[in-house]
mmCIF file of all heavy atoms in Angstrom:
data_model
loop_
_atom_site.group_PDB
_atom_site.id
_atom_site.type_symbol
_atom_site.label_atom_id
_atom_site.label_comp_id
_atom_site.label_asym_id
_atom_site.label_seq_id
_atom_site.Cartn_x
_atom_site.Cartn_y
_atom_site.Cartn_z
ATOM 1 N N GLY A 239 -13.607 -23.217 46.425
ATOM 2 C CA GLY A 239 -14.716 -22.416 46.949
ATOM 3 C C GLY A 239 -14.516 -20.940 46.688
ATOM 4 O O GLY A 239 -15.435 -20.223 46.298
ATOM 5 N N LEU A 240 -13.293 -20.444 46.902
ATOM 6 C CA LEU A 240 -12.989 -19.042 46.633
ATOM 7 C C LEU A 240 -13.127 -18.731 45.153
ATOM 8 O O LEU A 240 -13.649 -17.687 44.760
ATOM 9 C CB LEU A 240 -11.576 -18.701 47.125
ATOM 10 C CG LEU A 240 -11.390 -18.655 48.637
ATOM 11 C CD1 LEU A 240 -9.921 -18.477 48.982
ATOM 12 C CD2 LEU A 240 -12.226 -17.539 49.239
ATOM 13 N N LEU A 241 -12.664 -19.650 44.300
ATOM 14 C CA LEU A 241 -12.742 -19.464 42.864
ATOM 15 C C LEU A 241 -14.195 -19.402 42.401
ATOM 16 O O LEU A 241 -14.584 -18.520 41.635
ATOM 17 C CB LEU A 241 -11.999 -20.598 42.148
ATOM 18 C CG LEU A 241 -11.909 -20.510 40.631
ATOM 19 C CD1 LEU A 241 -11.164 -19.249 40.225
ATOM 20 C CD2 LEU A 241 -11.221 -21.729 40.077
ATOM 21 N N LEU A 242 -15.020 -20.320 42.883
ATOM 22 C CA LEU A 242 -16.443 -20.312 42.513
ATOM 23 C C LEU A 242 -17.131 -19.055 43.025
ATOM 24 O O LEU A 242 -17.966 -18.479 42.339
ATOM 25 C CB LEU A 242 -17.143 -21.563 43.039
ATOM 26 C CG LEU A 242 -16.740 -22.867 42.358
ATOM 27 C CD1 LEU A 242 -17.402 -24.044 43.062
ATOM 28 C CD2 LEU A 242 -17.094 -22.861 40.897
ATOM 29 N N GLY A 243 -16.761 -18.622 44.224
ATOM 30 C CA GLY A 243 -17.317 -17.386 44.773
ATOM 31 C C GLY A 243 -16.934 -16.188 43.924
ATOM 32 O O GLY A 243 -17.725 -15.281 43.693
ATOM 33 N N ALA A 244 -15.706 -16.165 43.429
ATOM 34 C CA ALA A 244 -15.250 -15.068 42.582
ATOM 35 C C ALA A 244 -16.029 -15.029 41.273
ATOM 36 O O ALA A 244 -16.379 -13.959 40.776
ATOM 37 C CB ALA A 244 -13.757 -15.205 42.299
ATOM 38 N N PHE A 245 -16.305 -16.205 40.695
ATOM 39 C CA PHE A 245 -17.096 -16.238 39.465
ATOM 40 C C PHE A 245 -18.482 -15.660 39.708
ATOM 41 O O PHE A 245 -18.993 -14.905 38.908
ATOM 42 C CB PHE A 245 -17.221 -17.662 38.917
ATOM 43 C CG PHE A 245 -16.011 -18.146 38.182
ATOM 44 C CD1 PHE A 245 -15.453 -19.376 38.487
ATOM 45 C CD2 PHE A 245 -15.438 -17.388 37.188
ATOM 46 C CE1 PHE A 245 -14.343 -19.829 37.813
ATOM 47 C CE2 PHE A 245 -14.330 -17.828 36.504
ATOM 48 C CZ PHE A 245 -13.770 -19.061 36.824
ATOM 49 N N GLY A 246 -19.093 -16.033 40.800
ATOM 50 C CA GLY A 246 -20.420 -15.514 41.125
ATOM 51 C C GLY A 246 -20.395 -14.016 41.343
ATOM 52 O O GLY A 246 -21.250 -13.285 40.876
ATOM 53 N N ALA A 247 -19.362 -13.517 42.055
ATOM 54 C CA ALA A 247 -19.240 -12.093 42.313
ATOM 55 C C ALA A 247 -18.982 -11.326 41.025
ATOM 56 O O ALA A 247 -19.376 -10.176 40.882
ATOM 57 C CB ALA A 247 -18.116 -11.836 43.315
ATOM 58 N N ALA A 248 -18.324 -11.950 40.075
ATOM 59 C CA ALA A 248 -18.027 -11.285 38.801
ATOM 60 C C ALA A 248 -19.243 -11.250 37.886
ATOM 61 O O ALA A 248 -19.187 -10.706 36.800
ATOM 62 C CB ALA A 248 -16.867 -12.007 38.104
ATOM 63 N N GLY A 249 -20.337 -11.865 38.293
ATOM 64 C CA GLY A 249 -21.548 -11.848 37.483
ATOM 65 C C GLY A 249 -21.604 -12.957 36.453
ATOM 66 O O GLY A 249 -22.439 -12.934 35.576
ATOM 67 N N LEU A 250 -20.739 -13.925 36.543
ATOM 68 C CA LEU A 250 -20.734 -14.994 35.561
ATOM 69 C C LEU A 250 -21.896 -15.956 35.760
ATOM 70 O O LEU A 250 -22.208 -16.726 34.877
ATOM 71 C CB LEU A 250 -19.400 -15.740 35.592
ATOM 72 C CG LEU A 250 -18.208 -14.872 35.180
ATOM 73 C CD1 LEU A 250 -16.919 -15.673 35.304
ATOM 74 C CD2 LEU A 250 -18.363 -14.361 33.767
ATOM 75 N N ALA A 251 -22.559 -15.878 36.887
ATOM 76 C CA ALA A 251 -23.727 -16.728 37.102
ATOM 77 C C ALA A 251 -24.979 -16.110 36.488
ATOM 78 O O ALA A 251 -25.976 -16.773 36.328
ATOM 79 C CB ALA A 251 -23.943 -16.952 38.606
ATOM 80 N N ALA A 252 -24.942 -14.849 36.097
ATOM 81 C CA ALA A 252 -26.110 -14.156 35.559
ATOM 82 C C ALA A 252 -26.687 -14.802 34.303
ATOM 83 O O ALA A 252 -27.894 -14.858 34.158
ATOM 84 C CB ALA A 252 -25.765 -12.689 35.307
ATOM 85 N N PRO A 253 -25.883 -15.297 33.339
ATOM 86 C CA PRO A 253 -26.484 -15.891 32.150
ATOM 87 C C PRO A 253 -27.411 -17.062 32.458
ATOM 88 O O PRO A 253 -28.362 -17.289 31.734
ATOM 89 C CB PRO A 253 -25.274 -16.348 31.324
ATOM 90 C CG PRO A 253 -24.182 -15.433 31.741
ATOM 91 C CD PRO A 253 -24.444 -15.189 33.208
ATOM 92 N N ILE A 254 -27.161 -17.772 33.516
ATOM 93 C CA ILE A 254 -28.041 -18.884 33.884
ATOM 94 C C ILE A 254 -29.424 -18.355 34.206
ATOM 95 O O ILE A 254 -30.426 -18.870 33.743
ATOM 96 C CB ILE A 254 -27.448 -19.682 35.066
ATOM 97 C CG1 ILE A 254 -26.154 -20.361 34.615
ATOM 98 C CG2 ILE A 254 -28.451 -20.689 35.596
ATOM 99 C CD1 ILE A 254 -25.360 -20.984 35.738
ATOM 100 N N ALA A 255 -29.504 -17.275 34.965
ATOM 101 C CA ALA A 255 -30.792 -16.683 35.306
ATOM 102 C C ALA A 255 -31.467 -16.122 34.062
ATOM 103 O O ALA A 255 -32.671 -16.213 33.911
ATOM 104 C CB ALA A 255 -30.601 -15.594 36.356
ATOM 105 N N ALA A 256 -30.699 -15.551 33.147
ATOM 106 C CA ALA A 256 -31.273 -14.972 31.934
ATOM 107 C C ALA A 256 -31.902 -16.044 31.047
ATOM 108 O O ALA A 256 -32.920 -15.818 30.421
ATOM 109 C CB ALA A 256 -30.202 -14.212 31.157
ATOM 110 N N GLU A 257 -31.312 -17.228 30.981
ATOM 111 C CA GLU A 257 -31.852 -18.299 30.150
ATOM 112 C C GLU A 257 -33.226 -18.732 30.629
ATOM 113 O O GLU A 257 -34.072 -19.076 29.842
ATOM 114 C CB GLU A 257 -30.896 -19.492 30.146
ATOM 115 C CG GLU A 257 -29.662 -19.257 29.305
ATOM 116 C CD GLU A 257 -28.754 -20.461 29.306
ATOM 117 O OE1 GLU A 257 -29.257 -21.595 29.371
ATOM 118 O OE2 GLU A 257 -27.540 -20.260 29.262
ATOM 119 N N VAL A 258 -33.435 -18.720 31.923
ATOM 120 C CA VAL A 258 -34.708 -19.166 32.473
ATOM 121 C C VAL A 258 -35.840 -18.254 32.005
ATOM 122 O O VAL A 258 -36.908 -18.715 31.657
ATOM 123 C CB VAL A 258 -34.634 -19.211 34.020
ATOM 124 C CG1 VAL A 258 -35.997 -19.474 34.619
ATOM 125 C CG2 VAL A 258 -33.644 -20.257 34.457
ATOM 126 N N SER A 259 -35.597 -16.942 31.946
ATOM 127 C CA SER A 259 -36.660 -16.018 31.601
ATOM 128 C C SER A 259 -36.705 -15.687 30.106
ATOM 129 O O SER A 259 -37.562 -14.951 29.673
ATOM 130 C CB SER A 259 -36.493 -14.721 32.401
ATOM 131 O OG SER A 259 -35.284 -14.084 32.041
ATOM 132 N N GLU A 260 -35.781 -16.241 29.314
ATOM 133 C CA GLU A 260 -35.768 -15.935 27.891
ATOM 134 C C GLU A 260 -37.072 -16.386 27.232
ATOM 135 O O GLU A 260 -37.534 -17.494 27.448
ATOM 136 C CB GLU A 260 -34.574 -16.622 27.227
ATOM 137 C CG GLU A 260 -34.347 -16.174 25.816
ATOM 138 C CD GLU A 260 -33.030 -16.693 25.267
ATOM 139 O OE1 GLU A 260 -32.894 -17.913 25.140
ATOM 140 O OE2 GLU A 260 -32.167 -15.866 24.990
ATOM 141 N N LEU A 261 -37.664 -15.499 26.467
ATOM 142 C CA LEU A 261 -38.930 -15.737 25.778
ATOM 143 C C LEU A 261 -40.065 -16.071 26.748
ATOM 144 O O LEU A 261 -40.998 -16.799 26.412
ATOM 145 C CB LEU A 261 -38.779 -16.834 24.723
ATOM 146 C CG LEU A 261 -37.733 -16.560 23.638
ATOM 147 C CD1 LEU A 261 -37.597 -17.765 22.724
ATOM 148 C CD2 LEU A 261 -38.069 -15.310 22.843
ATOM 149 N N ALA A 262 -40.013 -15.503 27.929
ATOM 150 C CA ALA A 262 -41.011 -15.788 28.966
ATOM 151 C C ALA A 262 -42.426 -15.429 28.510
ATOM 152 O O ALA A 262 -43.392 -16.076 28.913
ATOM 153 C CB ALA A 262 -40.663 -15.054 30.258
#
């Protein structure tokens, strides 16, 4: 849980959001 939280805090979850809006 701490490791996953650290990934999210580091911004590693951002590419997932970017893919959704790509070529919107």
Side-chain angles (χ1 to χ4, degrees):
L240 289 173
L241 184 61
L242 291 174
F245 281 130
L250 296 177
I254 294 170
E257 286 181 33
V258 172
S259 64
E260 190 170 64
L261 301 175

